[in-house]
Amino acid sequence: MGGNALAGTKSDLSSRLSTPTKCIKADSRVSVCNNGLVVLRPSLAVRAAEDKTFDADTVIEDLSAKWDAIENKSQVAIYAGGAVVALVTANAVVTTIDSIPFVPYFTEVVGTCYSLWFAYRYLLFEDSRKELVKDIEVLLEKIGGKE
C-alpha cells in the first residue's frame, strides 16, 4: 500500500487492528479501520463548484425560449404524449408477461440461445464478421439516407 503504518506482516496488521483504536493511519491520505473499511482523507473528497445556487427562473426562461423556437408545437405535444403512452403500455406488457409463471425462464433461455447462435453465426469466423459489417452498413444507409 505504500504507507509505513501498514508495513509489516499480516499478523502485525491483525494485531494492530484488534487494538482498541478504531483506525490506523496508513499514510497522509488513507486510514484502515478494524472493521475492514478504508477511509480516505477529506482532502481527497470531490468538491462542488463554487456557485452552489440554483436559479429556477433561468431554467424556466431557457425552457420558454426553446418552446417558443419550436414551429409546430402541436406535433411535438402529440409525439411527447405518444412516447409517454408507449412507455406505459410497454411497461404494462412486460410486467404482465413477467408475472406469468415460467415465461421469464423461457424468455431467458430463448435469449441465451439466440445470443449463442448470433455469436456463432456472425462473430466466430472472419467471413461472417465481414458480412455482418456489410449488413450493418447497408442498414445504416437505409436509415440515414446516405446516397
Side-chain angles (χ1 to χ4, degrees):
M1 282 206 191
N4 291 336
L6 290 179
T9 64
K10 187 175 181 180
S11 62
D12 181 42
L13 180 62
S14 296
S15 65
R16 291 186 67 188
L17 286 175
S18 64
T19 61
T21 59
K22 293 189 177 192
C23 296
I24 298 171
K25 186 174 180 179
D27 61 15
S28 62
R29 298 176 305 229
V30 177
S31 293
V32 178
C33 297
N34 60 357
N35 61 358
L37 292 176
V38 175
V39 180
L40 300 175
R41 297 280 169 225
S43 61
L44 296 176
V46 177
R47 304 263 186 243
E50 292 291 326
D51 185 20
K52 297 180 182 178
T53 60
F54 175 75
D55 190 13
D57 294 331
T58 306
V59 173
I60 292 172
E61 288 174 10
D62 290 343
L63 288 175
S64 297
K66 289 182 181 183
W67 180 252
D68 292 338
I70 296 173
E71 293 178 15
N72 195 352
K73 293 178 176 65
S74 62
Q75 186 177 10
V76 171
I78 289 171
Y79 282 151
V84 169
V85 169
L87 284 174
V88 169
T89 304
N91 182 35
V93 168
V94 169
T95 303
T96 302
I97 290 173
D98 195 39
S99 66
I100 299 172
F102 299 111
V103 171
Y105 305 114
F106 177 71
T107 55
E108 185 177 346
V109 169
V110 169
T112 302
C113 291
Y114 181 77
S115 297
L116 291 172
W117 173 82
F118 182 86
Y120 173 76
R121 172 69 176 88
Y122 290 110
L123 304 178
L124 196 57
F125 304 109
E126 183 179 1
D127 294 338
S128 59
R129 284 193 299 267
K130 289 179 182 176
E131 179 186 349
L132 176 64
V133 169
K134 187 182 92 178
D135 290 344
I136 291 174
E137 288 173 353
V138 167
L139 180 64
L140 290 176
E141 286 177 10
K142 285 181 182 178
I143 293 172
K146 266 188 183 177
E147 296 178 5

